[in-house]
PDB file of all heavy atoms in Angstrom:
ATOM      1  N   GLU A   1       4.034 -60.455  28.206  1.00  0.00           N
ATOM      2  CA  GLU A   1       4.992 -59.310  28.405  1.00  0.00           C
ATOM      3  C   GLU A   1       5.147 -58.578  27.026  1.00  0.00           C
ATOM      4  O   GLU A   1       5.189 -59.208  26.005  1.00  0.00           O
ATOM      5  CB  GLU A   1       6.336 -59.840  28.849  1.00  0.00           C
ATOM      6  CG  GLU A   1       6.296 -60.517  30.246  1.00  0.00           C
ATOM      7  CD  GLU A   1       6.238 -59.414  31.342  1.00  0.00           C
ATOM      8  OE1 GLU A   1       6.328 -58.238  30.987  1.00  0.00           O
ATOM      9  OE2 GLU A   1       6.088 -59.808  32.488  1.00  0.00           O
ATOM     10  N   ALA A   2       5.236 -57.283  27.167  1.00  0.00           N
ATOM     11  CA  ALA A   2       5.277 -56.483  25.888  1.00  0.00           C
ATOM     12  C   ALA A   2       6.277 -55.348  26.038  1.00  0.00           C
ATOM     13  O   ALA A   2       6.177 -54.573  27.038  1.00  0.00           O
ATOM     14  CB  ALA A   2       3.916 -56.005  25.467  1.00  0.00           C
ATOM     15  N   ASN A   3       7.187 -55.146  25.063  1.00  0.00           N
ATOM     16  CA  ASN A   3       7.849 -53.923  24.941  1.00  0.00           C
ATOM     17  C   ASN A   3       7.215 -53.028  23.941  1.00  0.00           C
ATOM     18  O   ASN A   3       6.918 -53.521  22.800  1.00  0.00           O
ATOM     19  CB  ASN A   3       9.338 -54.211  24.422  1.00  0.00           C
ATOM     20  CG  ASN A   3      10.093 -55.061  25.412  1.00  0.00           C
ATOM     21  OD1 ASN A   3      10.427 -54.589  26.498  1.00  0.00           O
ATOM     22  ND2 ASN A   3      10.496 -56.288  25.010  1.00  0.00           N
ATOM     23  N   LEU A   4       6.841 -51.836  24.320  1.00  0.00           N
ATOM     24  CA  LEU A   4       6.123 -50.876  23.430  1.00  0.00           C
ATOM     25  C   LEU A   4       7.043 -49.707  23.187  1.00  0.00           C
ATOM     26  O   LEU A   4       7.271 -48.853  24.105  1.00  0.00           O
ATOM     27  CB  LEU A   4       4.810 -50.451  24.018  1.00  0.00           C
ATOM     28  CG  LEU A   4       3.798 -51.624  24.257  1.00  0.00           C
ATOM     29  CD1 LEU A   4       2.586 -51.106  25.075  1.00  0.00           C
ATOM     30  CD2 LEU A   4       3.306 -52.199  22.968  1.00  0.00           C
ATOM     31  N   LEU A   5       7.705 -49.610  22.025  1.00  0.00           N
ATOM     32  CA  LEU A   5       8.698 -48.704  21.719  1.00  0.00           C
ATOM     33  C   LEU A   5       8.269 -47.710  20.675  1.00  0.00           C
ATOM     34  O   LEU A   5       7.622 -48.065  19.714  1.00  0.00           O
ATOM     35  CB  LEU A   5       9.938 -49.440  21.235  1.00  0.00           C
ATOM     36  CG  LEU A   5      10.447 -50.594  22.023  1.00  0.00           C
ATOM     37  CD1 LEU A   5      11.621 -51.211  21.344  1.00  0.00           C
ATOM     38  CD2 LEU A   5      10.866 -50.111  23.460  1.00  0.00           C
ATOM     39  N   PRO A   6       8.649 -46.426  20.796  1.00  0.00           N
ATOM     40  CA  PRO A   6       8.302 -45.455  19.761  1.00  0.00           C
ATOM     41  C   PRO A   6       9.124 -45.807  18.466  1.00  0.00           C
ATOM     42  O   PRO A   6      10.403 -46.004  18.571  1.00  0.00           O
ATOM     43  CB  PRO A   6       8.729 -44.130  20.364  1.00  0.00           C
ATOM     44  CG  PRO A   6       9.793 -44.442  21.362  1.00  0.00           C
ATOM     45  CD  PRO A   6       9.348 -45.842  21.928  1.00  0.00           C
ATOM     46  N   ALA A   7       8.484 -45.772  17.340  1.00  0.00           N
ATOM     47  CA  ALA A   7       9.145 -46.155  16.070  1.00  0.00           C
ATOM     48  C   ALA A   7       8.567 -45.325  14.924  1.00  0.00           C
ATOM     49  O   ALA A   7       7.456 -44.748  15.054  1.00  0.00           O
ATOM     50  CB  ALA A   7       9.042 -47.648  15.794  1.00  0.00           C
ATOM     51  N   THR A   8       9.263 -45.350  13.846  1.00  0.00           N
ATOM     52  CA  THR A   8       8.727 -44.825  12.587  1.00  0.00           C
ATOM     53  C   THR A   8       8.755 -45.887  11.510  1.00  0.00           C
ATOM     54  O   THR A   8       9.567 -46.836  11.634  1.00  0.00           O
ATOM     55  CB  THR A   8       9.517 -43.574  12.140  1.00  0.00           C
ATOM     56  OG1 THR A   8      10.857 -43.927  11.932  1.00  0.00           O
ATOM     57  CG2 THR A   8       9.364 -42.404  13.088  1.00  0.00           C
ATOM     58  N   TYR A   9       7.926 -45.790  10.585  1.00  0.00           N
ATOM     59  CA  TYR A   9       7.941 -46.752   9.431  1.00  0.00           C
ATOM     60  C   TYR A   9       8.125 -45.940   8.146  1.00  0.00           C
ATOM     61  O   TYR A   9       7.450 -44.991   7.897  1.00  0.00           O
ATOM     62  CB  TYR A   9       6.662 -47.503   9.410  1.00  0.00           C
ATOM     63  CG  TYR A   9       6.582 -48.590   8.311  1.00  0.00           C
ATOM     64  CD1 TYR A   9       7.237 -49.755   8.543  1.00  0.00           C
ATOM     65  CD2 TYR A   9       5.931 -48.442   7.105  1.00  0.00           C
ATOM     66  CE1 TYR A   9       7.266 -50.759   7.636  1.00  0.00           C
ATOM     67  CE2 TYR A   9       5.872 -49.427   6.117  1.00  0.00           C
ATOM     68  CZ  TYR A   9       6.633 -50.634   6.465  1.00  0.00           C
ATOM     69  OH  TYR A   9       6.523 -51.590   5.475  1.00  0.00           O
ATOM     70  N   HIS A  10       9.093 -46.340   7.323  1.00  0.00           N
ATOM     71  CA  HIS A  10       9.429 -45.639   6.136  1.00  0.00           C
ATOM     72  C   HIS A  10       9.906 -46.582   5.062  1.00  0.00           C
ATOM     73  O   HIS A  10      10.967 -47.254   5.246  1.00  0.00           O
ATOM     74  CB  HIS A  10      10.456 -44.538   6.417  1.00  0.00           C
ATOM     75  CG  HIS A  10      10.784 -43.744   5.223  1.00  0.00           C
ATOM     76  ND1 HIS A  10       9.924 -42.838   4.585  1.00  0.00           N
ATOM     77  CD2 HIS A  10      11.964 -43.564   4.492  1.00  0.00           C
ATOM     78  CE1 HIS A  10      10.431 -42.224   3.600  1.00  0.00           C
ATOM     79  NE2 HIS A  10      11.719 -42.658   3.551  1.00  0.00           N
ATOM     80  N   ARG A  11       9.143 -46.646   3.984  1.00  0.00           N
ATOM     81  CA  ARG A  11       9.603 -47.422   2.786  1.00  0.00           C
ATOM     82  C   ARG A  11      10.035 -48.821   3.123  1.00  0.00           C
ATOM     83  O   ARG A  11      11.134 -49.303   2.737  1.00  0.00           O
ATOM     84  CB  ARG A  11      10.727 -46.704   2.031  1.00  0.00           C
ATOM     85  CG  ARG A  11      10.180 -45.340   1.442  1.00  0.00           C
ATOM     86  CD  ARG A  11      11.275 -44.728   0.592  1.00  0.00           C
ATOM     87  NE  ARG A  11      10.741 -43.491   0.002  1.00  0.00           N
ATOM     88  CZ  ARG A  11      11.526 -42.670  -0.800  1.00  0.00           C
ATOM     89  NH1 ARG A  11      12.696 -43.023  -1.090  1.00  0.00           N
ATOM     90  NH2 ARG A  11      10.896 -41.603  -1.242  1.00  0.00           N
ATOM     91  N   GLY A  12       9.217 -49.556   3.883  1.00  0.00           N
ATOM     92  CA  GLY A  12       9.490 -50.950   4.207  1.00  0.00           C
ATOM     93  C   GLY A  12      10.496 -51.209   5.328  1.00  0.00           C
ATOM     94  O   GLY A  12      10.888 -52.359   5.465  1.00  0.00           O
ATOM     95  N   GLU A  13      10.783 -50.187   6.094  1.00  0.00           N
ATOM     96  CA  GLU A  13      11.660 -50.328   7.257  1.00  0.00           C
ATOM     97  C   GLU A  13      11.066 -49.754   8.482  1.00  0.00           C
ATOM     98  O   GLU A  13      10.457 -48.748   8.470  1.00  0.00           O
ATOM     99  CB  GLU A  13      13.023 -49.683   7.000  1.00  0.00           C
ATOM    100  CG  GLU A  13      13.908 -50.417   6.048  1.00  0.00           C
ATOM    101  CD  GLU A  13      15.266 -49.756   6.054  1.00  0.00           C
ATOM    102  OE1 GLU A  13      15.388 -48.505   6.165  1.00  0.00           O
ATOM    103  OE2 GLU A  13      16.304 -50.441   5.979  1.00  0.00           O
ATOM    104  N   VAL A  14      11.231 -50.459   9.601  1.00  0.00           N
ATOM    105  CA  VAL A  14      10.899 -49.991  10.939  1.00  0.00           C
ATOM    106  C   VAL A  14      12.255 -49.350  11.482  1.00  0.00           C
ATOM    107  O   VAL A  14      13.285 -49.920  11.396  1.00  0.00           O
ATOM    108  CB  VAL A  14      10.448 -51.086  11.894  1.00  0.00           C
ATOM    109  CG1 VAL A  14      10.326 -50.573  13.336  1.00  0.00           C
ATOM    110  CG2 VAL A  14       9.194 -51.665  11.401  1.00  0.00           C
ATOM    111  N   VAL A  15      12.110 -48.142  11.983  1.00  0.00           N
ATOM    112  CA  VAL A  15      13.284 -47.408  12.517  1.00  0.00           C
ATOM    113  C   VAL A  15      13.021 -47.146  13.999  1.00  0.00           C
ATOM    114  O   VAL A  15      12.023 -46.484  14.406  1.00  0.00           O
ATOM    115  CB  VAL A  15      13.515 -46.081  11.736  1.00  0.00           C
ATOM    116  CG1 VAL A  15      14.748 -45.390  12.334  1.00  0.00           C
ATOM    117  CG2 VAL A  15      13.634 -46.341  10.330  1.00  0.00           C
ATOM    118  N   VAL A  16      13.884 -47.687  14.886  1.00  0.00           N
ATOM    119  CA  VAL A  16      13.845 -47.511  16.332  1.00  0.00           C
ATOM    120  C   VAL A  16      15.214 -46.877  16.692  1.00  0.00           C
ATOM    121  O   VAL A  16      16.199 -47.577  16.716  1.00  0.00           O
ATOM    122  CB  VAL A  16      13.603 -48.801  17.119  1.00  0.00           C
ATOM    123  CG1 VAL A  16      13.464 -48.536  18.580  1.00  0.00           C
ATOM    124  CG2 VAL A  16      12.360 -49.540  16.572  1.00  0.00           C
ATOM    125  N   ALA A  17      15.191 -45.591  17.068  1.00  0.00           N
ATOM    126  CA  ALA A  17      16.447 -44.874  17.324  1.00  0.00           C
ATOM    127  C   ALA A  17      17.343 -45.030  16.141  1.00  0.00           C
ATOM    128  O   ALA A  17      17.000 -44.617  15.023  1.00  0.00           O
ATOM    129  CB  ALA A  17      17.073 -45.358  18.656  1.00  0.00           C
ATOM    130  N   THR A  18      18.537 -45.683  16.264  1.00  0.00           N
ATOM    131  CA  THR A  18      19.443 -45.853  15.124  1.00  0.00           C
ATOM    132  C   THR A  18      19.243 -47.259  14.472  1.00  0.00           C
ATOM    133  O   THR A  18      20.032 -47.515  13.494  1.00  0.00           O
ATOM    134  CB  THR A  18      20.901 -45.711  15.598  1.00  0.00           C
ATOM    135  OG1 THR A  18      21.136 -46.721  16.665  1.00  0.00           O
ATOM    136  CG2 THR A  18      21.118 -44.295  16.157  1.00  0.00           C
ATOM    137  N   TYR A  19      18.377 -48.074  14.986  1.00  0.00           N
ATOM    138  CA  TYR A  19      18.209 -49.426  14.402  1.00  0.00           C
ATOM    139  C   TYR A  19      17.150 -49.433  13.322  1.00  0.00           C
ATOM    140  O   TYR A  19      16.064 -48.949  13.490  1.00  0.00           O
ATOM    141  CB  TYR A  19      17.778 -50.341  15.611  1.00  0.00           C
ATOM    142  CG  TYR A  19      17.452 -51.776  15.253  1.00  0.00           C
ATOM    143  CD1 TYR A  19      18.183 -52.443  14.184  1.00  0.00           C
ATOM    144  CD2 TYR A  19      16.542 -52.497  15.965  1.00  0.00           C
ATOM    145  CE1 TYR A  19      17.895 -53.760  13.916  1.00  0.00           C
ATOM    146  CE2 TYR A  19      16.351 -53.785  15.728  1.00  0.00           C
ATOM    147  CZ  TYR A  19      16.973 -54.482  14.686  1.00  0.00           C
ATOM    148  OH  TYR A  19      16.711 -55.717  14.360  1.00  0.00           O
ATOM    149  N   ARG A  20      17.492 -49.999  12.229  1.00  0.00           N
ATOM    150  CA  ARG A  20      16.602 -50.080  11.076  1.00  0.00           C
ATOM    151  C   ARG A  20      16.434 -51.549  10.677  1.00  0.00           C
ATOM    152  O   ARG A  20      17.355 -52.336  10.592  1.00  0.00           O
ATOM    153  CB  ARG A  20      17.223 -49.381   9.823  1.00  0.00           C
ATOM    154  CG  ARG A  20      17.598 -47.884  10.093  1.00  0.00           C
ATOM    155  CD  ARG A  20      18.231 -47.259   8.916  1.00  0.00           C
ATOM    156  NE  ARG A  20      17.219 -46.861   7.932  1.00  0.00           N
ATOM    157  CZ  ARG A  20      16.583 -45.714   7.920  1.00  0.00           C
ATOM    158  NH1 ARG A  20      16.842 -44.789   8.759  1.00  0.00           N
ATOM    159  NH2 ARG A  20      15.681 -45.485   6.970  1.00  0.00           N
ATOM    160  N   LEU A  21      15.127 -51.891  10.577  1.00  0.00           N
ATOM    161  CA  LEU A  21      14.808 -53.300  10.373  1.00  0.00           C
ATOM    162  C   LEU A  21      13.774 -53.477   9.226  1.00  0.00           C
ATOM    163  O   LEU A  21      12.729 -52.909   9.304  1.00  0.00           O
ATOM    164  CB  LEU A  21      14.165 -53.877  11.661  1.00  0.00           C
ATOM    165  CG  LEU A  21      13.638 -55.307  11.677  1.00  0.00           C
ATOM    166  CD1 LEU A  21      14.758 -56.264  11.441  1.00  0.00           C
ATOM    167  CD2 LEU A  21      12.860 -55.649  12.977  1.00  0.00           C
ATOM    168  N   PRO A  22      14.151 -54.206   8.192  1.00  0.00           N
ATOM    169  CA  PRO A  22      13.157 -54.402   7.087  1.00  0.00           C
ATOM    170  C   PRO A  22      11.899 -55.140   7.644  1.00  0.00           C
ATOM    171  O   PRO A  22      12.071 -56.140   8.373  1.00  0.00           O
ATOM    172  CB  PRO A  22      13.879 -55.310   6.118  1.00  0.00           C
ATOM    173  CG  PRO A  22      15.336 -55.091   6.366  1.00  0.00           C
ATOM    174  CD  PRO A  22      15.430 -54.843   7.860  1.00  0.00           C
ATOM    175  N   TYR A  23      10.731 -54.600   7.253  1.00  0.00           N
ATOM    176  CA  TYR A  23       9.468 -55.172   7.845  1.00  0.00           C
ATOM    177  C   TYR A  23       8.323 -54.824   6.953  1.00  0.00           C
ATOM    178  O   TYR A  23       8.221 -53.703   6.475  1.00  0.00           O
ATOM    179  CB  TYR A  23       9.295 -54.624   9.204  1.00  0.00           C
ATOM    180  CG  TYR A  23       8.065 -55.136   9.966  1.00  0.00           C
ATOM    181  CD1 TYR A  23       7.953 -56.466  10.411  1.00  0.00           C
ATOM    182  CD2 TYR A  23       6.973 -54.338  10.227  1.00  0.00           C
ATOM    183  CE1 TYR A  23       6.867 -56.967  11.049  1.00  0.00           C
ATOM    184  CE2 TYR A  23       5.811 -54.749  10.904  1.00  0.00           C
ATOM    185  CZ  TYR A  23       5.723 -56.092  11.261  1.00  0.00           C
ATOM    186  OH  TYR A  23       4.633 -56.639  11.872  1.00  0.00           O
ATOM    187  N   GLN A  24       7.384 -55.802   6.852  1.00  0.00           N
ATOM    188  CA  GLN A  24       6.151 -55.587   6.078  1.00  0.00           C
ATOM    189  C   GLN A  24       4.955 -55.986   6.969  1.00  0.00           C
ATOM    190  O   GLN A  24       4.990 -56.994   7.632  1.00  0.00           O
ATOM    191  CB  GLN A  24       6.139 -56.466   4.810  1.00  0.00           C
ATOM    192  CG  GLN A  24       7.240 -56.082   3.812  1.00  0.00           C
ATOM    193  CD  GLN A  24       7.089 -54.735   3.234  1.00  0.00           C
ATOM    194  OE1 GLN A  24       5.958 -54.215   3.048  1.00  0.00           O
ATOM    195  NE2 GLN A  24       8.223 -54.088   2.898  1.00  0.00           N
ATOM    196  N   GLN A  25       3.911 -55.160   6.975  1.00  0.00           N
ATOM    197  CA  GLN A  25       2.709 -55.427   7.654  1.00  0.00           C
ATOM    198  C   GLN A  25       1.547 -54.772   6.879  1.00  0.00           C
ATOM    199  O   GLN A  25       1.572 -53.635   6.479  1.00  0.00           O
ATOM    200  CB  GLN A  25       2.772 -54.850   9.084  1.00  0.00           C
ATOM    201  CG  GLN A  25       1.485 -55.099   9.932  1.00  0.00           C
ATOM    202  CD  GLN A  25       1.729 -54.594  11.361  1.00  0.00           C
ATOM    203  OE1 GLN A  25       2.782 -54.859  11.961  1.00  0.00           O
ATOM    204  NE2 GLN A  25       0.651 -53.978  11.881  1.00  0.00           N
ATOM    205  N   GLU A  26       0.536 -55.587   6.665  1.00  0.00           N
ATOM    206  CA  GLU A  26      -0.641 -55.107   5.932  1.00  0.00           C
ATOM    207  C   GLU A  26      -1.289 -53.858   6.608  1.00  0.00           C
ATOM    208  O   GLU A  26      -1.490 -53.844   7.829  1.00  0.00           O
ATOM    209  CB  GLU A  26      -1.737 -56.204   5.826  1.00  0.00           C
ATOM    210  CG  GLU A  26      -2.877 -55.857   4.927  1.00  0.00           C
ATOM    211  CD  GLU A  26      -3.872 -57.035   4.763  1.00  0.00           C
ATOM    212  OE1 GLU A  26      -3.564 -58.132   5.211  1.00  0.00           O
ATOM    213  OE2 GLU A  26      -4.951 -56.804   4.195  1.00  0.00           O
ATOM    214  N   GLY A  27      -1.616 -52.848   5.729  1.00  0.00           N
ATOM    215  CA  GLY A  27      -2.274 -51.672   6.259  1.00  0.00           C
ATOM    216  C   GLY A  27      -1.362 -50.722   6.848  1.00  0.00           C
ATOM    217  O   GLY A  27      -1.857 -49.613   7.363  1.00  0.00           O
ATOM    218  N   ILE A  28      -0.089 -50.827   6.832  1.00  0.00           N
ATOM    219  CA  ILE A  28       0.867 -49.888   7.409  1.00  0.00           C
ATOM    220  C   ILE A  28       1.315 -48.905   6.412  1.00  0.00           C
ATOM    221  O   ILE A  28       1.755 -49.172   5.261  1.00  0.00           O
ATOM    222  CB  ILE A  28       2.091 -50.608   8.050  1.00  0.00           C
ATOM    223  CG1 ILE A  28       1.626 -51.514   9.176  1.00  0.00           C
ATOM    224  CG2 ILE A  28       3.105 -49.617   8.538  1.00  0.00           C
ATOM    225  CD1 ILE A  28       0.918 -50.867  10.283  1.00  0.00           C
ATOM    226  N   THR A  29       1.330 -47.585   6.758  1.00  0.00           N
ATOM    227  CA  THR A  29       1.836 -46.577   5.890  1.00  0.00           C
ATOM    228  C   THR A  29       2.967 -45.800   6.575  1.00  0.00           C
ATOM    229  O   THR A  29       3.195 -45.949   7.804  1.00  0.00           O
ATOM    230  CB  THR A  29       0.723 -45.506   5.583  1.00  0.00           C
ATOM    231  OG1 THR A  29       0.177 -44.978   6.823  1.00  0.00           O
ATOM    232  CG2 THR A  29      -0.509 -46.167   4.850  1.00  0.00           C
TER     233      THR A  29
END
């Protein structure tokens, strides 16, 4: 099962709507 949500990545954070989550993944800009 998978939730596939629109998100942005900015300076080490994933942003989903108003939710901001610190996150690191190789190759992500």
Side-chain angles (χ1 to χ4, degrees):
E1 294 283 353
N3 296 295
L4 298 171
L5 309 177
T8 58
Y9 185 76
H10 183 66
R11 296 185 178 181
E13 283 189 325
V14 173
V15 182
V16 183
T18 57
Y19 178 32
R20 308 178 74 91
L21 175 67
Y23 181 69
Q24 297 293 327
Q25 181 176 319
E26 186 178 351
I28 297 300
T29 57

